[in-house]
Amino acid sequence: MPEEYLVAQELHKSFNEQKAVDGVSFAIYRGEIFGLLGPNGAGKTTAIRMMSTVLEPDRGDVTIGGHSVRREADAVRSQIGVCPQELALYEDLSALDNLVFFGRMAGMSGKEAHDQAMARLELMGLSERAKGKVDKFSGGMKRRVNLAVGLMGHPEMLFLDEPTVGVDPQSRNNIYETIEGLRDGGMTILYTTHYMEEADRLCDRVAIMDGGQIIALDTPYELRSQIGEPDKVTLEDVFLKLTGRSLRD
Ligand SMILES: Nc1ncnc2c1ncn2[C@@H]1O[C@H](COP(=O)(O)OP(=O)(O)O)[C@@H](O)[C@H]1O
Ligand SMILES: [Mg+2]
């Protein structure tokens, strides 16, 4: 049996009486890429913010590596890296200085932060632009720096919220390959997207979210098999079948 590394139980969150996340439960196995898939407004970001200790659930709990986000937030934070949907970078600093800054904030020595920053930039194919100011970077390069920040401190688990939105094809491929490489190295990854083909290609298992709830959860292949010949249907078709609506806005 695979080890359940993250367990979410009955998560609820409302904003002004409106339910953003409405009773979500699932488990993520250690070492898998798990996709949270759904249209804009489905509740993906709200769910990821509760799992990564940024937002307190109204009800329910999440454990990561056995630690509760409610009662042991510090222990959870020491195990995770987060790449938020909204880029969190200092535009007037270089890519290297951004990473060093976040490393120092996390308590690393100057040398350790510098060494890790250079290794992360190399992984993201940005070594040559290390000293370039972020405000001169393309959208895709900024996303790659954002991902590099999430990897500072060797997290066991990485949360990626829509890492390929507004990204050119070269950066997108770099991001896919990086995520697969991290998974192959043993990292557990939670990934949100509203691109169905992307989830199909990358994720070991996906949960499809709509209206704050999980409406299906399985491997992409199994989900496709449930509605037709798996090689002939897409996750887009699965969403349409389950909701009667197309995923695209
Ligand atoms: N901070 C907030 N204040 C008020 N409403 C919010 C807030 N964050 C999210 N929402 C609402 O909650 C719902 C789910 O949003 P979100 O979790 O961002 O979905 P997704 O990431 O799937 O697009 C949406 O209706 C959104 O408008
Ligand atoms: Mg979102």
Side-chain angles (χ1 to χ4, degrees):
M1 272 296 281
E3 177 194 346
E4 293 185 344
Y5 183 64
L6 179 151
V7 180
Q9 285 168 313
E10 277 299 308
L11 283 180
H12 290 261
K13 188 76 193 180
S14 294
F15 298 105
N16 318 315
E17 314 284 300
Q18 192 208 346
K19 289 177 176 168
V21 170
D22 186 15
V24 158
S25 302
F26 61 92
I28 301 179
Y29 302 143
R30 188 187 280 277
E32 76 173 340
I33 302 176
F34 186 93
L36 264 189
L37 192 59
N40 286 328
K44 304 181 298 296
T45 294
T46 304
I48 231 175
R49 293 179 74 211
M50 290 192 279
M51 289 184 264
S52 58
T53 79
V54 179
L55 189 65
E56 183 155 10
D58 293 339
R59 276 198 280 144
D61 199 0
V62 181
T63 58
I64 301 181
H67 299 290
S68 155
V69 297
R70 285 181 175 283
R71 296 185 309 280
E72 302 162 280
D74 285 347
V76 170
R77 286 177 192 140
S78 72
Q79 299 178 85
I80 65 172
V82 181
C83 302
Q85 183 170 357
E86 304 301 333
L87 293 171
L89 299 171
Y90 294 99
E91 295 263 335
D92 52 353
L93 292 183
S94 69
L96 177 62
D97 286 345
N98 265 282
L99 291 177
V100 169
F101 173 81
F102 287 107
R104 297 285 285 161
M105 289 287 282
M108 293 176 202
S109 71
K111 180 175 185 325
E112 192 184 0
H114 183 273
D115 290 352
Q116 267 206 41
M118 288 307 289
R120 298 294 171 265
L121 288 170
E122 186 175 351
L123 182 71
M124 299 314 301
L126 290 169
S127 300
E128 276 159 26
R129 300 298 297 272
K131 301 229 163 101
K133 263 174 55 164
V134 166
D135 65 2
K136 298 283 184 300
F137 284 14
S138 69
M141 288 165 67
K142 288 180 187 175
R143 279 277 157 209
R144 278 144 73 189
V145 178
N146 203 44
L147 214 157
V149 169
L151 289 169
M152 291 293 286
H154 303 289
E156 286 187 54
M157 174 162 195
L158 188 62
F159 292 95
L160 294 162
D161 197 357
E162 307 256 10
T164 57
V165 169
V167 165
D168 56 278
Q170 187 198 341
S171 287
R172 198 177 313 142
N173 282 327
N174 173 283
I175 289 170
Y176 292 158
E177 282 162 21
T178 303
I179 293 171
E180 285 168 339
L182 292 168
R183 185 263 320 270
D184 295 344
M187 197 177 283
T188 305
I189 294 165
L190 174 75
Y191 185 98
T192 81
T193 183
H194 61 276
Y195 300 126
M196 292 267 161
E197 336 65 84
E198 187 170 292
D200 207 339
R201 165 180 166 175
L202 268 184
C203 298
D204 296 300
R205 293 188 307 143
V206 300
I208 299 180
M209 272 190 93
D210 190 37
Q213 299 184 330
I214 291 179
I215 57 172
L217 192 165
D218 215 321
T219 63
Y221 183 87
E222 274 303 317
L223 290 172
R224 284 186 273 108
S225 303
Q226 283 163 18
I227 64 151
E229 278 191 59
D231 297 332
K232 291 192 181 149
V233 298
T234 65
L235 286 182
E236 193 81 42
D237 299 327
V238 174
F239 185 82
L240 181 64
K241 178 97 177 177
L242 289 170
T243 64
R245 286 180 290 116
S246 163
L247 184 84
R248 297 208 169 89
D249 305 318

Tab-separated table of all heavy atoms in Angstrom, residues 187-225:
chain	number	residue	atom	x	y	z
A	187	MET	N	9.984	13.462	-4.448
A	187	MET	CA	9.164	14.528	-3.868
A	187	MET	C	7.676	14.268	-4.116
A	187	MET	O	7.300	13.690	-5.130
A	187	MET	CB	9.581	15.867	-4.492
A	187	MET	CG	9.104	17.076	-3.707
A	187	MET	SD	9.707	18.622	-4.443
A	187	MET	CE	11.404	18.641	-3.887
A	188	THR	N	6.867	14.702	-3.168
A	188	THR	CA	5.411	14.636	-3.318
A	188	THR	C	4.940	15.990	-3.826
A	188	THR	O	5.373	17.020	-3.309
A	188	THR	CB	4.761	14.332	-1.950
A	188	THR	OG1	5.350	13.142	-1.426
A	188	THR	CG2	3.255	14.154	-2.071
A	189	ILE	N	4.073	15.986	-4.842
A	189	ILE	CA	3.714	17.249	-5.499
A	189	ILE	C	2.199	17.386	-5.640
A	189	ILE	O	1.526	16.471	-6.109
A	189	ILE	CB	4.401	17.333	-6.883
A	189	ILE	CG1	5.917	17.423	-6.681
A	189	ILE	CG2	3.885	18.543	-7.680
A	189	ILE	CD1	6.745	17.164	-7.900
A	190	LEU	N	1.701	18.525	-5.194
A	190	LEU	CA	0.301	18.875	-5.453
A	190	LEU	C	0.290	20.023	-6.455
A	190	LEU	O	0.973	21.030	-6.264
A	190	LEU	CB	-0.427	19.308	-4.182
A	190	LEU	CG	-1.855	19.808	-4.459
A	190	LEU	CD1	-2.776	18.642	-4.759
A	190	LEU	CD2	-2.398	20.582	-3.295
A	191	TYR	N	-0.488	19.836	-7.484
A	191	TYR	CA	-0.431	20.687	-8.645
A	191	TYR	C	-1.852	21.105	-8.987
A	191	TYR	O	-2.726	20.259	-9.072
A	191	TYR	CB	0.143	19.777	-9.730
A	191	TYR	CG	0.430	20.398	-11.029
A	191	TYR	CD1	1.709	20.801	-11.321
A	191	TYR	CD2	-0.563	20.564	-11.977
A	191	TYR	CE1	1.999	21.363	-12.537
A	191	TYR	CE2	-0.276	21.126	-13.188
A	191	TYR	CZ	1.005	21.527	-13.468
A	191	TYR	OH	1.290	22.085	-14.668
A	192	THR	N	-2.123	22.391	-9.144
A	192	THR	CA	-3.460	22.752	-9.605
A	192	THR	C	-3.378	23.300	-11.019
A	192	THR	O	-2.393	23.932	-11.397
A	192	THR	CB	-4.162	23.842	-8.756
A	192	THR	OG1	-3.689	25.121	-9.153
A	192	THR	CG2	-3.942	23.642	-7.271
A	193	THR	N	-4.418	23.040	-11.782
A	193	THR	CA	-4.472	23.572	-13.142
A	193	THR	C	-5.916	23.584	-13.623
A	193	THR	O	-6.750	22.840	-13.112
A	193	THR	CB	-3.588	22.748	-14.101
A	193	THR	OG1	-3.615	23.341	-15.397
A	193	THR	CG2	-4.046	21.319	-14.202
A	194	HIS	N	-6.207	24.465	-14.581
A	194	HIS	CA	-7.487	24.331	-15.259
A	194	HIS	C	-7.275	23.831	-16.689
A	194	HIS	O	-8.192	23.818	-17.489
A	194	HIS	CB	-8.300	25.639	-15.207
A	194	HIS	CG	-7.636	26.809	-15.870
A	194	HIS	ND1	-6.707	27.590	-15.224
A	194	HIS	CD2	-7.765	27.314	-17.118
A	194	HIS	CE1	-6.298	28.542	-16.064
A	194	HIS	NE2	-6.917	28.390	-17.212
A	195	TYR	N	-6.036	23.392	-16.984
A	195	TYR	CA	-5.759	22.779	-18.287
A	195	TYR	C	-5.827	21.267	-18.158
A	195	TYR	O	-4.968	20.631	-17.548
A	195	TYR	CB	-4.364	23.159	-18.789
A	195	TYR	CG	-4.142	24.634	-18.968
A	195	TYR	CD1	-3.072	25.266	-18.350
A	195	TYR	CD2	-4.982	25.393	-19.775
A	195	TYR	CE1	-2.838	26.621	-18.515
A	195	TYR	CE2	-4.764	26.756	-19.949
A	195	TYR	CZ	-3.696	27.355	-19.325
A	195	TYR	OH	-3.468	28.693	-19.493
A	196	MET	N	-6.852	20.682	-18.777
A	196	MET	CA	-7.087	19.246	-18.639
A	196	MET	C	-5.988	18.394	-19.281
A	196	MET	O	-5.614	17.364	-18.752
A	196	MET	CB	-8.422	18.879	-19.277
A	196	MET	CG	-9.601	19.439	-18.516
A	196	MET	SD	-10.207	18.233	-17.336
A	196	MET	CE	-11.140	19.270	-16.240
A	197	GLU	N	-5.476	18.828	-20.455
A	197	GLU	CA	-4.455	18.003	-21.139
A	197	GLU	C	-3.200	17.925	-20.278
A	197	GLU	O	-2.516	16.904	-20.212
A	197	GLU	CB	-3.998	18.517	-22.496
A	197	GLU	CG	-4.853	19.418	-23.360
A	197	GLU	CD	-5.130	20.773	-22.756
A	197	GLU	OE1	-4.326	21.703	-22.858
A	197	GLU	OE2	-6.240	20.880	-22.179
A	198	GLU	N	-2.930	19.049	-19.603
A	198	GLU	CA	-1.734	19.120	-18.774
A	198	GLU	C	-1.833	18.125	-17.617
A	198	GLU	O	-0.897	17.392	-17.324
A	198	GLU	CB	-1.651	20.551	-18.239
A	198	GLU	CG	-0.427	20.879	-17.503
A	198	GLU	CD	-0.385	22.385	-17.249
A	198	GLU	OE1	-0.239	23.157	-18.217
A	198	GLU	OE2	-0.506	22.767	-16.082
A	199	ALA	N	-2.989	18.091	-16.977
A	199	ALA	CA	-3.186	17.168	-15.861
A	199	ALA	C	-3.074	15.733	-16.346
A	199	ALA	O	-2.499	14.868	-15.682
A	199	ALA	CB	-4.550	17.408	-15.230
A	200	ASP	N	-3.613	15.487	-17.525
A	200	ASP	CA	-3.583	14.139	-18.073
A	200	ASP	C	-2.150	13.678	-18.287
A	200	ASP	O	-1.778	12.546	-17.986
A	200	ASP	CB	-4.347	14.136	-19.407
A	200	ASP	CG	-4.934	12.785	-19.723
A	200	ASP	OD1	-4.461	11.787	-19.165
A	200	ASP	OD2	-5.864	12.737	-20.537
A	201	ARG	N	-1.344	14.584	-18.785
A	201	ARG	CA	0.041	14.222	-19.084
A	201	ARG	C	0.888	14.050	-17.817
A	201	ARG	O	1.706	13.142	-17.723
A	201	ARG	CB	0.658	15.313	-19.961
A	201	ARG	CG	2.166	15.185	-20.008
A	201	ARG	CD	2.872	16.208	-20.841
A	201	ARG	NE	4.297	16.122	-20.483
A	201	ARG	CZ	5.250	16.808	-21.068
A	201	ARG	NH1	4.963	17.617	-22.049
A	201	ARG	NH2	6.499	16.675	-20.682
A	202	LEU	N	0.678	14.944	-16.850
A	202	LEU	CA	1.628	15.033	-15.736
A	202	LEU	C	1.246	14.234	-14.489
A	202	LEU	O	2.115	13.756	-13.774
A	202	LEU	CB	1.728	16.484	-15.274
A	202	LEU	CG	2.784	17.388	-15.850
A	202	LEU	CD1	2.721	18.724	-15.138
A	202	LEU	CD2	4.179	16.792	-15.709
A	203	CYS	N	-0.055	14.151	-14.221
A	203	CYS	CA	-0.459	13.716	-12.879
A	203	CYS	C	-0.604	12.207	-12.777
A	203	CYS	O	-1.129	11.557	-13.676
A	203	CYS	CB	-1.778	14.378	-12.492
A	203	CYS	SG	-1.632	16.165	-12.412
A	204	ASP	N	-0.157	11.664	-11.646
A	204	ASP	CA	-0.377	10.249	-11.363
A	204	ASP	C	-1.842	10.021	-11.025
A	204	ASP	O	-2.442	9.050	-11.457
A	204	ASP	CB	0.522	9.809	-10.198
A	204	ASP	CG	1.986	9.934	-10.576
A	204	ASP	OD1	2.397	9.283	-11.549
A	204	ASP	OD2	2.709	10.714	-9.926
A	205	ARG	N	-2.406	10.934	-10.236
A	205	ARG	CA	-3.850	10.889	-9.952
A	205	ARG	C	-4.379	12.325	-9.963
A	205	ARG	O	-3.633	13.257	-9.675
A	205	ARG	CB	-4.124	10.243	-8.591
A	205	ARG	CG	-3.748	8.754	-8.564
A	205	ARG	CD	-4.212	8.095	-7.279
A	205	ARG	NE	-3.730	8.820	-6.127
A	205	ARG	CZ	-4.426	8.999	-5.004
A	205	ARG	NH1	-5.627	8.479	-4.875
A	205	ARG	NH2	-3.893	9.665	-3.998
A	206	VAL	N	-5.658	12.461	-10.263
A	206	VAL	CA	-6.256	13.788	-10.240
A	206	VAL	C	-7.579	13.762	-9.485
A	206	VAL	O	-8.305	12.771	-9.503
A	206	VAL	CB	-6.522	14.363	-11.657
A	206	VAL	CG1	-5.266	14.480	-12.466
A	206	VAL	CG2	-7.561	13.560	-12.403
A	207	ALA	N	-7.839	14.871	-8.807
A	207	ALA	CA	-9.167	15.112	-8.240
A	207	ALA	C	-9.775	16.229	-9.065
A	207	ALA	O	-9.149	17.270	-9.253
A	207	ALA	CB	-9.057	15.531	-6.781
A	208	ILE	N	-10.977	16.011	-9.573
A	208	ILE	CA	-11.671	17.063	-10.320
A	208	ILE	C	-12.573	17.812	-9.343
A	208	ILE	O	-13.378	17.210	-8.635
A	208	ILE	CB	-12.495	16.479	-11.480
A	208	ILE	CG1	-11.572	15.747	-12.462
A	208	ILE	CG2	-13.262	17.593	-12.195
A	208	ILE	CD1	-12.286	15.122	-13.656
A	209	MET	N	-12.357	19.135	-9.263
A	209	MET	CA	-13.137	19.985	-8.354
A	209	MET	C	-14.117	20.827	-9.139
A	209	MET	O	-13.816	21.301	-10.221
A	209	MET	CB	-12.216	20.942	-7.590
A	209	MET	CG	-11.663	20.394	-6.307
A	209	MET	SD	-10.829	21.698	-5.357
A	209	MET	CE	-12.188	22.252	-4.312
A	210	ASP	N	-15.271	21.027	-8.535
A	210	ASP	CA	-16.259	21.950	-9.113
A	210	ASP	C	-17.119	22.459	-7.966
A	210	ASP	O	-17.531	21.680	-7.109
A	210	ASP	CB	-17.118	21.207	-10.151
A	210	ASP	CG	-17.996	22.159	-10.952
A	210	ASP	OD1	-17.538	23.278	-11.272
A	210	ASP	OD2	-19.146	21.785	-11.238
A	211	GLY	N	-17.354	23.744	-7.929
A	211	GLY	CA	-18.211	24.313	-6.890
A	211	GLY	C	-17.777	23.967	-5.475
A	211	GLY	O	-18.612	23.737	-4.602
A	212	GLY	N	-16.458	23.905	-5.244
A	212	GLY	CA	-15.958	23.673	-3.890
A	212	GLY	C	-15.937	22.219	-3.460
A	212	GLY	O	-15.566	21.909	-2.322
A	213	GLN	N	-16.334	21.306	-4.371
A	213	GLN	CA	-16.359	19.886	-4.003
A	213	GLN	C	-15.540	19.053	-4.982
A	213	GLN	O	-15.348	19.454	-6.129
A	213	GLN	CB	-17.801	19.372	-3.997
A	213	GLN	CG	-18.650	20.110	-2.977
A	213	GLN	CD	-20.059	19.553	-2.876
A	213	GLN	OE1	-20.601	19.040	-3.859
A	213	GLN	NE2	-20.646	19.677	-1.690
A	214	ILE	N	-15.091	17.889	-4.510
A	214	ILE	CA	-14.424	16.946	-5.404
A	214	ILE	C	-15.504	16.052	-6.010
A	214	ILE	O	-16.254	15.401	-5.281
A	214	ILE	CB	-13.368	16.109	-4.654
A	214	ILE	CG1	-12.206	17.020	-4.262
A	214	ILE	CG2	-12.873	14.954	-5.528
A	214	ILE	CD1	-11.107	16.325	-3.490
A	215	ILE	N	-15.576	16.064	-7.345
A	215	ILE	CA	-16.629	15.295	-7.999
A	215	ILE	C	-16.098	14.009	-8.620
A	215	ILE	O	-16.872	13.162	-9.036
A	215	ILE	CB	-17.381	16.144	-9.055
A	215	ILE	CG1	-16.420	16.709	-10.102
A	215	ILE	CG2	-18.143	17.282	-8.369
A	215	ILE	CD1	-17.130	17.388	-11.273
A	216	ALA	N	-14.773	13.827	-8.670
A	216	ALA	CA	-14.181	12.579	-9.151
A	216	ALA	C	-12.722	12.558	-8.723
A	216	ALA	O	-12.091	13.613	-8.606
A	216	ALA	CB	-14.269	12.483	-10.666
A	217	LEU	N	-12.205	11.356	-8.461
A	217	LEU	CA	-10.797	11.236	-8.074
A	217	LEU	C	-10.273	9.875	-8.510
A	217	LEU	O	-10.815	8.844	-8.108
A	217	LEU	CB	-10.662	11.385	-6.548
A	217	LEU	CG	-9.254	11.576	-5.977
A	217	LEU	CD1	-9.327	12.062	-4.539
A	217	LEU	CD2	-8.384	10.331	-6.051
A	218	ASP	N	-9.262	9.881	-9.356
A	218	ASP	CA	-8.659	8.616	-9.802
A	218	ASP	C	-7.448	8.925	-10.681
A	218	ASP	O	-7.076	10.092	-10.835
A	218	ASP	CB	-9.681	7.786	-10.583
A	218	ASP	CG	-9.491	6.284	-10.327
A	218	ASP	OD1	-8.323	5.847	-10.240
A	218	ASP	OD2	-10.500	5.571	-10.214
A	219	THR	N	-6.868	7.882	-11.283
A	219	THR	CA	-5.828	8.147	-12.281
A	219	THR	C	-6.512	8.718	-13.521
A	219	THR	O	-7.691	8.432	-13.771
A	219	THR	CB	-5.098	6.854	-12.691
A	219	THR	OG1	-6.051	5.983	-13.314
A	219	THR	CG2	-4.475	6.159	-11.486
A	220	PRO	N	-5.785	9.525	-14.309
A	220	PRO	CA	-6.400	10.029	-15.543
A	220	PRO	C	-6.941	8.893	-16.416
A	220	PRO	O	-8.025	9.000	-16.975
A	220	PRO	CB	-5.246	10.775	-16.229
A	220	PRO	CG	-4.362	11.215	-15.111
A	220	PRO	CD	-4.441	10.100	-14.096
A	221	TYR	N	-6.203	7.795	-16.487
A	221	TYR	CA	-6.625	6.666	-17.322
A	221	TYR	C	-7.954	6.091	-16.830
A	221	TYR	O	-8.875	5.842	-17.621
A	221	TYR	CB	-5.529	5.590	-17.321
A	221	TYR	CG	-5.843	4.419	-18.216
A	221	TYR	CD1	-5.506	4.449	-19.567
A	221	TYR	CD2	-6.506	3.291	-17.718
A	221	TYR	CE1	-5.811	3.382	-20.403
A	221	TYR	CE2	-6.814	2.233	-18.543
A	221	TYR	CZ	-6.467	2.273	-19.885
A	221	TYR	OH	-6.773	1.219	-20.705
A	222	GLU	N	-8.073	5.874	-15.523
A	222	GLU	CA	-9.318	5.330	-14.963
A	222	GLU	C	-10.491	6.277	-15.188
A	222	GLU	O	-11.596	5.839	-15.512
A	222	GLU	CB	-9.167	5.063	-13.461
A	222	GLU	CG	-8.566	3.711	-13.122
A	222	GLU	CD	-9.360	2.554	-13.726
A	222	GLU	OE1	-10.610	2.589	-13.676
A	222	GLU	OE2	-8.728	1.638	-14.285
A	223	LEU	N	-10.253	7.568	-15.016
A	223	LEU	CA	-11.338	8.536	-15.214
A	223	LEU	C	-11.825	8.505	-16.659
A	223	LEU	O	-13.030	8.532	-16.916
A	223	LEU	CB	-10.876	9.950	-14.841
A	223	LEU	CG	-10.636	10.185	-13.346
A	223	LEU	CD1	-10.003	11.560	-13.127
A	223	LEU	CD2	-11.940	10.079	-12.551
A	224	ARG	N	-10.875	8.410	-17.585
A	224	ARG	CA	-11.258	8.347	-18.995
A	224	ARG	C	-11.990	7.041	-19.287
A	224	ARG	O	-12.968	7.016	-20.043
A	224	ARG	CB	-10.028	8.520	-19.895
A	224	ARG	CG	-9.560	9.980	-19.950
A	224	ARG	CD	-8.430	10.213	-20.938
A	224	ARG	NE	-7.112	9.973	-20.362
A	224	ARG	CZ	-6.333	8.949	-20.645
A	224	ARG	NH1	-6.695	8.044	-21.541
A	224	ARG	NH2	-5.164	8.799	-20.048
A	225	SER	N	-11.514	5.929	-18.660
A	225	SER	CA	-12.139	4.620	-18.880
A	225	SER	C	-13.592	4.600	-18.430
A	225	SER	O	-14.409	3.867	-18.981
A	225	SER	CB	-11.403	3.528	-18.097
A	225	SER	OG	-10.073	3.496	-18.456
